[in-house]
Amino acid sequence: MKTNDRKVGTVSRGIRCPIIREGDDLAAIVTDSVLEAAESDGFSLCDRDVISMTESIVARAQGNYATVDDIAADVKAKLGGGTIGVIFPIFSRNRFSICLRGIAKGAKKIVLMLGYPSDEVGNSMITLDQLDEAGVNPYSDVLTLERYRELFGNDTKLEFTGVDYVEYYGELIRSCGTEVEIIFANQAKTILNYTDCVLTCDIHTRARTKRILKAAGAKIVCGLDDILNAPVNGSGCNEQYGLLGSNKSTEDKVKLFPRYCQPLVEEVQARILERTGKHVEVMVYGDGAFKDPKGKIWELADPVVSPAFTDGLIGTPNELKLKYLADNDYKDLSGEALKKAISESIRSKDGSSLVGNMAAQGTTPRQLTDLIGSLCDLTSGSGDKGTPVVLVQGYFDNYTN
């Protein structure tokens, strides 16, 4: 073995940081934390390392918060304050319950239309097998709450949280002094049989849902991205995403998705270059984009994985599949000859797209920020690890480095 052969590829490290508060100089804290971790753990930064910070600490440092009353005021102003159809929300105490409380306080009646058997991100109240047994067609059938309970009973709790969101959301709306009617349907225009003022709460399909509703004659159509897309009574906001990407902060306040992140990632990049001479990439990340095979939950409840990133993270991987080369192009080679041939193939890449090249089949055709953001989300976790910054090293290396 050559003594200079590297035996380690990509490394993802959670970086511990101080607890971030509103007004903190986040660029300085992130830079210092990464460099202190490098000194403490005995590693060095390299060109094209990736420093990622979770959107939560960015929004917290910005003080980007809004109250239930702020939400209520905006909903009432934009949707009239009468009977509002609230359709396709996800089932989440963290993501939606406080938003729903504000929505309810801005209306006299809510017609809550839930998609079934699961919400947009895969939280399932009932199973496909239960639908089959009941003879229900989710693409066409509209169920009242009474019919839903008759078919599926009163115990339709989510597997991992043990919460019956049908009951929970209904009680939450009533607790605000607002009347509620709950139906189950998967066709957006169904809600127009109940009201022509609609707030659609889906995340990734919102543009299509709005288009369908407007074409079907809805009087007012808003998405969560249209609520708090400007300050209300001095609140925080997000011009692009509104309430999308928000998280519960307290029982009457949400932390919104961060704003104006691009200057932050560029400043961290500049600070690292000044202090180390290394040109790193920097990004802000939220939810990863992956699906749990057991619970069938798609993690991505944020509108995007990364709201801001430096230019070196634009694009998709442009890689060759080593096992394809080994099994096809160089199937007659082995040992050092095989290594040399594969290495030469990798070095011969000229930077042009490998889309359509058979030797690239099976490589992941996703945005770099989605891939790296997912890795960072898994590394940092969502609990008490205390590592809201993640350093990824060697991601852009290949077999020849």
Side-chain angles (χ1 to χ4, degrees):
M1 181 183 73
K2 295 179 181 178
T3 56
N4 63 347
D5 273 359
R6 255 178 59 182
K7 295 300 179 184
V8 177
T10 301
V11 175
S12 179
R13 286 184 172 92
I15 306 296
R16 289 184 176 171
C17 298
I19 302 300
I20 305 300
R21 296 296 188 191
E22 181 177 348
D24 283 349
D25 185 345
L26 192 56
I29 291 172
V30 170
T31 301
D32 290 343
S33 296
V34 170
L35 295 180
E36 288 166 7
E39 182 178 359
S40 171
D41 235 32
F43 62 86
S44 301
L45 294 186
C46 302
D47 289 329
R48 300 215 75 189
D49 286 352
V50 182
I51 297 174
S52 304
M53 62 197 95
T54 179
E55 58 81 20
S56 178
I57 61 171
V58 181
R60 198 181 311 146
Q62 293 175 344
N64 201 20
Y65 294 90
T67 68
V68 165
D69 290 338
D70 297 329
I71 297 170
D74 211 23
V75 167
K76 187 172 183 179
K78 290 174 177 173
L79 288 132
T83 298
I84 299 173
V86 176
I87 71 173
F88 302 148
I90 64 171
F91 304 127
S92 173
R93 289 167 292 180
N94 175 45
R95 289 289 190 171
F96 190 69
S97 65
I98 307 302
C99 296
L100 182 57
R101 183 172 282 117
I103 294 165
K105 290 185 71 172
K108 291 182 179 178
K109 178 179 178 180
I110 295 291
V111 180
L112 184 64
M113 191 173 92
L114 303 175
Y116 74 99
S118 65
D119 68 8
E120 180 184 3
V121 295
N123 294 298
S124 295
M125 301 177 293
I126 50 181
T127 66
L128 290 171
D129 289 335
Q130 286 176 290
L131 289 183
D132 292 342
E133 291 168 6
V136 172
N137 182 346
Y139 300 104
S140 60
D141 293 351
V142 179
L143 306 178
T144 63
L145 177 59
E146 293 72 25
R147 181 59 174 160
Y148 173 83
R149 291 302 189 194
E150 178 185 334
L151 290 171
F152 307 114
N154 292 314
D155 187 17
T156 54
K157 298 177 181 177
L158 296 193
E159 179 181 1
F160 292 109
T161 63
V163 176
D164 183 332
Y165 278 91
V166 179
E167 179 181 0
Y168 176 58
Y169 281 173
E171 287 299 321
L172 188 154
I173 294 168
R174 284 187 284 270
S175 73
C176 297
T178 303
E179 184 182 351
V180 60
E181 180 177 359
I182 300 176
I183 61 173
F184 302 82
N186 291 314
Q187 297 291 336
K189 60 185 179 182
T190 298
I191 194 64
L192 299 181
N193 297 325
Y194 301 82
T195 178
D196 58 3
C197 296
V198 186
L199 176 61
T200 182
C201 302
D202 47 347
I203 305 162
H204 307 291
T205 54
R206 63 189 185 275
R208 177 175 183 265
T209 301
K210 289 180 186 180
R211 173 175 57 78
I212 290 171
L213 289 168
K214 290 174 182 177
K219 177 183 175 183
I220 302 174
V221 178
C222 289
L224 287 180
D225 54 330
D226 300 308
I227 306 300
L228 287 182
N229 57 1
V232 173
N233 300 321
S235 74
C237 70
N238 189 296
E239 292 82 356
Q240 184 173 6
Y241 297 120
L243 281 175
L244 291 176
S246 63
N247 284 270
K248 178 179 179 179
S249 175
T250 69
E251 291 303 322
D252 65 354
K253 184 185 290 186
V254 293
K255 176 184 61 58
L256 301 169
F257 213 49
R259 313 160 66 192
Y260 310 133
C261 300
Q262 195 62 36
L264 172 63
V265 298
E266 292 174 1
E267 183 177 354
V268 172
Q269 184 183 56
R271 284 173 179 257
I272 293 292
L273 181 62
E274 179 182 358
R275 293 178 61 176
T276 69
K278 301 300 180 182
H279 183 89
V280 300
E281 305 297 342
V282 184
M283 63 183 283
V284 175
Y285 70 97
D287 282 341
F290 46 82
K291 186 173 182 177
D292 169 45
K294 176 172 171 52
K296 306 296 187 287
I297 299 169
W298 187 34
E299 173 71 8
L300 188 56
D302 285 326
V304 290
V305 172
S306 177
F309 45 88
T310 50
D311 288 350
L313 297 176
I314 296 172
T316 60
N318 202 41
E319 301 172 345
L320 296 171
K321 199 78 169 180
L322 296 192
K323 65 182 181 183
Y324 179 89
L325 294 173
D327 291 346
N328 291 272
D329 294 26
Y330 307 121
K331 61 181 181 295
D332 297 325
L333 301 179
S334 62
E336 191 63 31
L338 176 60
K339 178 180 179 180
K340 182 177 179 180
I342 289 178
S343 297
E344 185 56 36
S345 292
I346 294 172
R347 292 191 189 97
S348 296
K349 291 189 300 181
D350 59 6
S352 58
S353 174
L354 292 172
V355 172
N357 186 322
M358 287 300 289
Q361 66 178 339
T363 56
T364 309
R366 293 168 56 191
Q367 296 296 316
L368 289 167
T369 49
D370 292 345
L371 292 164
I372 298 171
S374 298
L375 172 60
C376 292
D377 188 23
L378 289 167
T379 301
S380 62
S382 57
D384 57 8
K385 288 185 172 62
T387 56
V389 173
V390 175
L391 173 66
V392 178
Q393 297 190 287
Y395 190 85
F396 292 102
D397 289 354
N398 60 47
Y399 186 64
T400 69
N401 299 125

